[in-house]
Amino acid sequence: MKQVIHTDKAPAAIGPYSQAIQIGQLLFTSGQVPIDPETGAIVEGGIQEQARQSLNNIKAILNAAGTNMGAVVKTTVFLQDMNDFAAMNEVYAQFFQEPYPARSAVQVARLPKDVLVEIEAIAQL
């Protein structure tokens, strides 16, 4: 049975989707863009600030589900520009420890609200 996970410490969904869905021992987050949940605004700065906010939003959702970043088994990173990969990766490495989750990173033509990055995660509870 699937269960909706929601927290006010991450941005509310801006469409017909949930912040996360738990099914059994797996948690699937929706892609998190760098929106500050307190202001509803996209964080200012470049890729590192935006990646940090996206990951903080994932962390808040995981916490609402009773877990943490250590439970993440897979992430997908969507970048507006693959040239930002190294800078994003510096921030990303601050959120995870070995064994690191599996990851895909792709450049996309456009992201919601024209942000620089969107990140989604799958965690085992």
Side-chain angles (χ1 to χ4, degrees), residues 92-105:
Y92 182 95
Q94 297 169 14
F95 283 80
F96 297 102
Q97 297 176 355
E98 291 189 37
Y100 299 112
R103 179 178 73 185
S104 300

Side-chain angles (χ1 to χ4, degrees), residues 78-116:
F78 303 95
L79 293 165
Q80 181 189 56
D81 185 347
M82 193 56 81
N83 291 317
D84 287 337
F85 180 83
M88 175 281 301
N89 211 37
E90 287 179 24
V91 173
Y92 182 95
Q94 297 169 14
F95 283 80
F96 297 102
Q97 297 176 355
E98 291 189 37
Y100 299 112
R103 179 178 73 185
S104 300
V106 297
Q107 178 175 310
V108 295
R110 191 168 182 199
L111 289 165
K113 298 188 177 269
D114 294 316
V115 298
L116 302 176

Side-chain angles (χ1 to χ4, degrees), residues 32-89:
Q32 294 300 302
V33 294
I35 294 176
D36 181 331
E38 292 184 14
T39 66
I42 297 168
V43 297
E44 294 185 17
I47 187 64
Q48 290 191 323
E49 292 81 7
Q50 289 198 7
R52 184 171 291 107
Q53 185 63 56
S54 295
L55 289 162
N56 279 328
N57 293 342
I58 289 172
K59 186 177 179 180
I61 293 167
L62 292 170
N63 290 342
T67 193
N68 56 51
M69 298 295 271
V72 174
V73 296
K74 172 74 167 77
T75 62
T76 305
V77 179
F78 303 95
L79 293 165
Q80 181 189 56
D81 185 347
M82 193 56 81
N83 291 317
D84 287 337
F85 180 83
M88 175 281 301
N89 211 37

